[in-house]
Structures are given as structure tokens and as C-alpha cells.
Amino acid sequence: MSDEKTGHENGRQAGTILIRRHSVVTRVTHWLNVLCLTALLLSGLQIFNAHPELYWGQYGADGDPAFLTIGSAEDKDGLRGFVRAGGIEVPTTGFLGVSSFEGEPTARAFPAWLTIPSDQDLATGRRWHFFFAWFFVINGAVYLGYGFLSGHFRRDLAPRRGQLSASYLWHEIVTHARLRFPEGEEARHYNVLQKLTYLVVIAGFLPMMLLTGLTMSPGVDAAFPALLDLFGGRQTARTIHFITASLLVKFVLVHVAMVVLSGAWNNMRSMITGRYAIRESGPKA
Amino acid sequence: MTRISLSRRRFMIGSTLGATAAALAGYGALKPDAGGAVLRSAEQLTMKAHRLLQGRGALAREFLEADISPSFRVNGSTMPDSEEYAALLDSNFADWRLKIDGLVVQPREFSLVDLKKLPARTQITRHDCVEGWSAIGKWTGVPLGSLLRSIGLKPSARFAVLHCADELEKTLDGSGRYYESIDLIDAFHPQTILAYAMNGKDLSVGHGAPLRLRVERQLGYKQAKYVMRIEIVDSFSGLWGGNGGYWEDRGYEWYAGI
């Protein structure tokens, strides 16, 4: 987020200047990440459909107590879908457990319109997943290397002194809840809620996805048996992989909502061209 | 709102990243075979990375008796559907022979009694199905490496192909017959055994009687059941679909360590 002023010289709009907000590395890795995470999520749902149950511990198969089941059952009214967790069963026919595939109600955990590929094909789903997992890892390594070396993390993402005090955080939360977004000079930098959220995603969720994913591989377990101890078993890692993926989906929904609410076009332009418009406070000579 | 903005967003990505990313993403979807060459390229990378990180000898985790699954799911074939197998089962596998041939110095046949007389290895390991479930069981059997050493391999030997008694899919040309293959690194791995016992008892029919492969750093579909013959080869070109296994011929990775 350098302060190179461009808009002012171009004299586009009185009182509005364009600042360079995002570096080219941030922008390219961001969009590649969108591509990777979309492919990973949708092919991941295809893989999940092959055995739509989650367990805790070292083992888990049909007959072992499941933490979560997305299932189907046949009764007099036909196929019905359900989600079962902790003894509670919720009917989800039409979406989870049973959904329409080529016009027929079909028993499948996630519906065809949400999976890559759309028909039930574990082999192809796995190929998509592992291809984009490599892509995601390489892209992430580029971003992390850049973030440390360029000072992007220190300059833009590390919270400033005083930003972590309870009163300041509360003030930020209240302001955000009222959908009042920073303007003027304040808009030059991420606010503390953005910083904390991005740090949790970059240093928490995404590495967690990678590590739990690796723990599901018998080959990686042989190379790094400590992963099994870290997560308490392959099935626990699989469950955490799924939970973290759903947290990432929630992050994306909130992220996109914030992008739209705080100025869809300005934000989109800054993530594509790097330039972000801010209104200068006070009269400018 | 979310769906609209998401799809708009996806449109933006496509136009922003341009042809490269779109081509990468679209390639697999357009190819009717399982994934296409670009997607398949990741498999080689995965296998090389695994071999680099784990080396030849890294062992799969071994567990304690207390960790054994209360039930071990039976998957795939539960009973080979052939008169030949039925006759072998009737005789309690007295007439069963494991044939080892191909690129070996001296082809040989072993009866079940022969195999049980050889030094055995017992291991409690986790079985990971490609579908996602896991089960833990105790396996006893003969290390494949010691059998191959006693027979001697020719210099051109590269893979061990396991021919099985079961047919998973009825096909006119017989290509539904189960077979699997591993390379010599896995064949000589200390935990790679030809198991004749599970959880202290003779192998049940559902779990692959009389003999199944355990290759513990790989997924369930590599753990071939009902092994009848081991053929040492230098390539897969003469075998059914040419991809080295029943599931590999149906789109799954040959390297099943992930």
C-alpha cells in the first residue's frame, strides 16, 4: 500500500485520489487462490460424496460411530435425504443426501451442481483435487515468500500498537456492524478487523487445510508420523479438513459481502489494477 | 445476493487471469477420460515428492492391539465368483498354489503350507480406502521382498503384478479381472507382506483368502485380495488397459500413496 498518487495528477474527480493499494504479487496470488480454492472445494465435495461420514480418531468406517453423516433412506414416500450429527437428524431432501441428478431424485451427499465433476466420479474428483492442491501450495509459497521479503505482512497485516486493546476492538466491531467503513486517510490501510481476519485465514485456516490434507495420505504419514500425533489420527484430520473448509466458505461469504457493501467497484478495481480511490478529507489546494 | 456476486466474481476472475488459468481449469472438464494430461501431471509430482521425503524404508505407523477396529469393513469383492475358486475354498486351499513368474531367474510355486513355514512378519496397520474410511487390523504374512530375493529377479525387472482370483466387473473380454501392481521399491519394503492371517486368524474370504497383499504406504485398492500369481514385468503394456491395475484402468492414480 504505497502512497503513490496517480488520480490527483490526472485530475479525474475533485477530492478523490487513486492510491496504489495492492501489489501485483498480492493481486495475482489472490486470484489464483480464488481459482484453486474453488476447484479444491468443489472437487473436495465430490471426494466427500464417496464416503459421506466423518469420524474422530485413528479409524472410522461404516459401523463406527460417526461425527457427521449425510445420508439417504428409502421410505413409502420415496428417497429422503438427511444430515445427522450428535444424535440430531435434520431432513435435507432436495439438497443434501438426496438431490436431483439428470431429472431423477438421486442418493448423493452433495448435489451434482456443487461437485466437480458433476456426476459421481471419485477418480476424476481426486485428480482435480490434487492438481489444484499443488497449484495452491506453489501459489501460497510465492505469496508467503513475497509477504515476508517485501514487508507486506509487517507493513500491512500486522496490527499496530493499540489496535489490539479491547476498547479499540469493540469500537471497530460496533462501527463495522453499522456498516460504516473507513474513509479518507483511514482507508489507506486495512482496519484491525481486516488484519486479524486475513491473518487467521493466511496463518490459520489455509495451513490447517494443507496439514490435515497431508495427514490423510498414507505416504505422507510414513514420512511424517508426527502429523498423526498432532491431529490424533487420520480420521480426525479428515474431519478437521472438512470443518476448516466450511469455515473458509463462511469467510469467503463474509469477505464477498464486505467487498460489495464497502464499494464493490472500488474494491474490485483495487484487486485487479491495484488502484483504490479514497476521498481526501478537508479541502485540498 | 451471494450467488450473484459469486458468479460475477468468477466471471471477473476468468477475464482477469486470462487464458492460462482458464485453459488449465477447463482442460480436465473437456476431456472425456478421467482428468486429462494436465491434471494427471500432478500424480508424478506427488509420487516423486513422497519418495524424496519418505525415502525407501520409512515405515507406515504401526498400532497397538487396543487400536484394532472393532469391525474391519469388507469392500470390493466379497467372494470370487468362479468354479475354480469355489473348488479351492472347498479343499481349504490345500490345492491352492501361488505362482511367481515373469522376469525371474527361477519361476516357482508355493503352497499355503510352504508360505506359512517361512519367516513371517506381523504388523498392526491402518487400511485407508480411497473413499475416505479407515480401519485398523493385524496382519501376518511373508515379506514379499524375501520371497523375491529367494527366487532372484532378472536385471530388467521393474514391477510386481498381482493377478487375483476375483472379477469385480463382468466383462466379455475379462478385463474386469482384478489385478494390481507395485514397483520394486514397494515390493522390497519391509512392511510389504503377503498376508495369510488377519487379527490372529486365517484370512476370511471377505478379506481375501487365502492370500492378500499389504503395501502399507498406499491406499486400499493396492492391497490386492485373492492373490493367485505374481508376475514380474518391465512394463504394463501387455496387461489389460495398460495402466497397471483394475482401478488404474478406470481412472485412478497408479501411485496410491495419497
Side-chain angles (χ1 to χ4, degrees):
Chain A
M1 283 203 256
S2 65
D3 287 359
E4 177 200 324
K5 295 181 187 179
T6 53
H8 205 60
E9 284 78 10
N10 295 344
R12 274 193 210 156
Q13 277 175 287
T16 302
I17 59 166
L18 284 172
I19 61 166
R20 273 186 65 83
R21 182 166 230 209
H22 300 295
S23 69
V24 66
V25 178
T26 304
R27 284 177 277 140
V28 170
T29 53
H30 172 268
W31 290 117
L32 289 177
N33 226 10
V34 172
L35 175 78
C36 290
L37 289 177
T38 305
L40 282 166
L41 177 73
L42 304 184
S43 58
L45 297 181
Q46 164 74 233
I47 295 172
F48 178 85
N49 273 5
H51 189 75
E53 290 192 291
L54 297 171
Y55 313 88
W56 295 108
Q58 302 285 358
Y59 61 79
D62 299 338
D64 296 316
F67 161 73
L68 178 94
T69 301
I70 302 180
S72 65
E74 178 97 53
D75 60 20
K76 60 182 191 320
D77 302 322
L79 272 178
R80 57 178 186 86
F82 62 83
V83 173
R84 187 166 52 222
I88 300 168
E89 196 174 296
V90 183
T92 51
T93 310
F95 177 37
L96 300 175
V98 172
S99 51
S100 173
F101 181 62
E102 290 173 350
E104 290 290 312
T106 306
R108 49 183 295 149
F110 285 100
W113 54 267
L114 256 183
T115 65
I116 294 178
S118 56
D119 55 337
Q120 197 61 57
D121 181 352
L122 175 60
T124 306
R126 283 168 54 84
R127 290 196 187 279
W128 274 79
H129 205 69
F130 302 141
F131 177 85
F132 280 97
W134 274 109
F135 201 155
F136 165 76
V137 164
I138 294 164
N139 188 50
V142 169
Y143 175 73
L144 289 178
Y146 163 81
F148 282 113
L149 295 177
S150 71
H152 169 57
F153 292 152
R154 179 174 39 78
R155 200 173 52 240
D156 303 327
L157 286 178
R160 303 239 172 268
R161 196 188 298 263
Q163 280 191 324
L164 292 177
S165 73
S167 61
Y168 184 79
L169 281 174
W170 180 245
H171 167 256
E172 284 287 289
I173 291 167
V174 170
T175 318
H176 253 73
R178 289 178 180 153
L179 299 180
R180 285 189 198 144
F181 299 103
E183 289 186 12
E185 282 303 303
E186 274 185 40
R188 283 180 182 274
H189 309 286
Y190 290 139
N191 64 67
V192 70
L193 296 182
Q194 276 179 300
K195 287 180 180 180
L196 291 177
T197 309
Y198 296 161
L199 283 174
V200 164
V201 171
I202 294 163
F205 291 177
L206 296 180
M208 183 67 90
M209 290 309 292
L210 179 62
L211 287 175
T212 52
L214 288 172
T215 309
M216 277 186 260
S217 152
V220 171
D221 285 348
F224 305 111
L227 282 171
L228 285 170
D229 300 317
L230 179 66
F231 292 112
R234 178 191 198 247
Q235 289 301 322
T236 303
R238 182 170 175 266
T239 299
I240 297 173
H241 198 70
F242 187 88
I243 291 172
T244 311
S246 59
L247 291 175
L248 271 174
V249 170
K250 290 180 183 90
F251 160 74
V252 170
L253 294 179
V254 173
H255 183 60
V256 172
M258 286 301 184
V259 163
V260 171
L261 290 172
S262 67
W265 170 239
N266 198 16
N267 284 312
M268 199 56 93
R269 174 178 53 199
S270 76
M271 223 0 137
I272 295 171
T273 70
R275 278 156 173 63
Y276 184 78
I278 60 170
R279 226 184 302 250
E280 290 193 305
S281 46
K284 189 93 180 171
Chain B
M1 182 205 73
T2 351
R3 284 208 31 209
I4 293 165
S5 65
L6 268 176
S7 63
R8 179 176 298 166
R9 194 168 180 173
R10 258 181 225 158
F11 172 76
M12 301 291 296
I13 305 158
S15 48
T16 313
L17 298 178
T20 317
L24 281 172
Y27 191 77
L30 296 173
K31 295 274 281 190
D33 74 339
V38 175
L39 291 178
R40 280 166 184 270
S41 65
E43 180 189 342
Q44 280 298 314
L45 193 56
T46 302
M47 180 172 154
K48 283 177 181 150
H50 278 207
R51 287 279 156 85
L52 185 71
L53 293 170
Q54 71 189 180
R56 290 181 173 232
L59 297 179
R61 169 65 59 90
E62 295 196 15
F63 296 86
L64 304 172
E65 297 265 351
D67 302 321
I68 293 174
S69 305
S71 69
F72 197 111
R73 179 174 159 170
V74 169
N75 210 40
S77 298
T78 53
M79 167 67 93
D81 182 20
S82 74
E83 283 181 20
E84 191 192 353
Y85 185 83
L88 290 170
L89 182 59
D90 275 346
S91 73
N92 205 19
F93 301 109
D95 302 326
W96 173 90
R97 296 288 181 275
L98 172 71
K99 187 196 277 183
I100 305 185
D101 60 4
L103 298 171
V104 297
V105 176
Q106 182 63 54
R108 269 192 66 182
E109 290 192 0
F110 296 87
S111 72
L112 203 50
V113 177
D114 294 336
L115 290 177
K116 286 182 175 178
K117 279 184 195 155
L118 293 170
R121 180 185 163 91
T122 295
Q123 58 201 27
I124 302 174
T125 52
R126 192 188 68 219
H127 176 102
D128 298 322
C129 180
V130 68
E131 293 168 358
W133 52 269
S134 307
I136 294 178
K138 180 165 83 169
W139 306 96
T140 302
V142 185
L144 175 59
S146 63
L147 273 189
L148 296 181
R149 247 178 239 111
S150 74
I151 292 173
L153 301 184
K154 291 189 174 164
S156 53
R158 284 189 67 201
F159 304 101
V161 179
L162 300 109
H163 297 276
C164 304
D166 59 322
E167 208 172 3
L168 253 187
E169 190 177 61
K170 283 281 174 205
T171 53
L172 284 176
D173 64 352
S175 67
R177 188 155 295 278
Y178 206 90
Y179 74 107
E180 259 306 336
S181 61
I182 56 176
D183 65 13
L184 295 185
I185 292 176
D186 275 318
F188 284 93
H189 185 266
Q191 284 172 322
T192 298
I193 62 174
L194 295 169
Y196 46 71
M198 176 191 167
N199 294 343
K201 293 187 197 117
D202 280 353
L203 215 47
S204 69
V205 171
H207 287 116
L211 197 70
R212 86 178 292 175
L213 177 75
R214 295 299 313 173
V215 47
E216 304 291 359
R217 298 187 299 185
Q218 305 221 19
L219 294 175
Y221 63 88
K222 282 281 173 184
Q223 328 292 328
K225 301 195 277 192
Y226 318 108
V227 176
M228 304 297 282
R229 173 183 165 217
I230 298 175
E231 183 189 10
I232 306 299
V233 299
D234 58 0
S235 90
F236 304 139
S237 55
L239 295 159
W240 305 114
N243 297 299
Y246 172 88
W247 287 110
E248 289 84 339
D249 287 342
R250 285 155 182 78
Y252 286 81
E253 300 94 344
W254 178 79
Y255 175 69
I258 191 167

